[in-house]
Amino acid sequence: METLKYTVIKSDDQYDKYCAQLEDLLDSNQDANVSDEIDLLTLLIEKYDEENNSFDEADPVSLLRSFMEEHEIKAKDLVALLGISKGYVSDILNYKKGLSKEVIRKLSTHFKVRQEAFNRPYPLFNTKATVQKRASLAN
């Protein structure tokens, strides 16, 4: 009897192993067999994410910060990864600007999560409405 190359993910160690394998496959020259393997690994990883990660509890910026810590990525690394200015990265991480559709796509691809994890509303600070509200309260 032939053993399966991949099975349903049951542990964090297995999850990490499959994520590493997926990264290797994405970096390799892809033929039809590799493409099917990528699709299968992606499905298994997404299923595990849905069942074990609490993305719904964290706002997109908190989620991004946790991924940055986990992957040892600094804000300056996001500039190159996302192709945006360091000012925009700073504004995102300090809740001053929201994530654009392009940034959401790049983050979800890089961290291998569904776009919905980053595409949720969250409060921004120092927006025009906040500044106006503070000004009216001061008077």
Side-chain angles (χ1 to χ4, degrees):
M1 184 170 165
E2 187 179 333
T3 46
L4 298 173
K5 186 169 184 176
Y6 300 107
T7 61
V8 173
I9 301 173
K10 297 180 179 117
S11 70
D12 287 342
D13 288 338
Q14 185 182 13
Y15 173 85
D16 292 339
K17 180 181 172 189
Y18 281 15
C19 285
Q21 288 175 332
L22 179 59
E23 259 183 64
D24 291 343
L25 289 172
L26 290 170
D27 291 339
S28 70
N29 294 330
Q30 298 179 17
D31 60 18
N33 293 335
V34 172
S35 179
D36 287 343
E37 197 170 343
I38 288 171
D39 290 344
L40 177 58
L41 276 171
T42 301
L43 282 171
L44 292 169
I45 290 167
E46 285 178 353
K47 181 177 178 357
Y48 188 81
D49 280 340
E50 287 173 15
E51 294 173 358
N52 295 285
N53 290 326
S54 56
F55 294 144
D56 294 336
E57 295 174 12
D59 67 67
V61 175
S62 296
L63 179 61
L64 174 57
R65 286 180 175 276
S66 70
F67 279 136
M68 288 172 66
E69 183 178 323
E70 182 180 321
H71 294 268
E72 298 180 359
I73 294 174
K74 299 190 182 317
K76 67 179 182 173
D77 301 323
L78 285 180
V79 170
L81 175 75
L82 301 174
I84 58 177
S85 72
K86 60 184 175 181
Y88 185 31
V89 168
S90 175
D91 286 348
I92 289 170
L93 294 175
N94 290 301
Y95 293 87
K96 293 181 180 178
K97 288 193 178 173
L99 301 168
S100 70
K101 290 178 184 179
E102 185 63 25
V103 166
I104 290 169
R105 271 193 288 279
K106 288 178 180 179
L107 288 172
S108 66
T109 300
H110 183 77
F111 294 115
K112 296 171 186 58
V113 296
R114 294 187 333 258
Q115 290 184 17
E116 290 82 14
F118 291 108
N119 192 15
R120 290 181 288 114
Y122 60 95
L124 296 178
F125 305 111
N126 294 333
T127 61
K128 195 176 206 179
T130 305
V131 171
Q132 289 173 345
K133 185 175 182 181
R134 287 183 183 160
S136 69
L137 292 174
N139 293 332

